[in-house]
Amino acid sequence: IKVAVFLYLIDKMTKVHAGAVVTPSIHAVSRDGARFMVVIIGLVIIFKKQLNELVTKIFEKITNESSGI
């Protein structure tokens, strides 16, 4: 359910309006950056458990292999 709501919000945020200005302004660029950040934060929130497990496994592997040095 979270993913569906997130994708719906992203779709609403990225719609181009008919009256949009053709030349990008600094506001449009910062809006795109803000949208990008929303996407990244949303993905981190959705996949938090998987990311946490991945990072834990990576550090465990580094610890195990460094003990042999």
Side-chain angles (χ1 to χ4, degrees):
I1 296 172
K2 288 186 207 176
V3 175
V5 172
F6 177 71
L7 293 176
Y8 171 76
L9 292 174
I10 296 301
D11 185 53
K12 290 295 257 182
M13 288 174 40
T14 57
K15 293 288 183 196
V16 177
H17 301 288
V21 178
V22 175
T23 56
S25 67
I26 189 68
H27 301 298
V29 173
S30 64
R31 247 192 334 260
D32 289 340
R35 288 179 184 148
F36 177 76
M37 290 303 295
V38 167
V39 170
I40 295 299
I41 292 169
L43 289 173
V44 168
I45 290 170
I46 291 171
F47 297 108
K48 181 180 176 183
K49 182 179 177 185
Q50 290 88 343
L51 288 170
N52 195 3
E53 290 172 358
L54 177 65
V55 170
T56 303
K57 287 179 185 178
I58 290 171
F59 280 116
E60 285 176 358
K61 186 172 183 175
I62 290 171
T63 304
N64 291 338
E65 291 184 10
S66 67
S67 65
I69 295 176

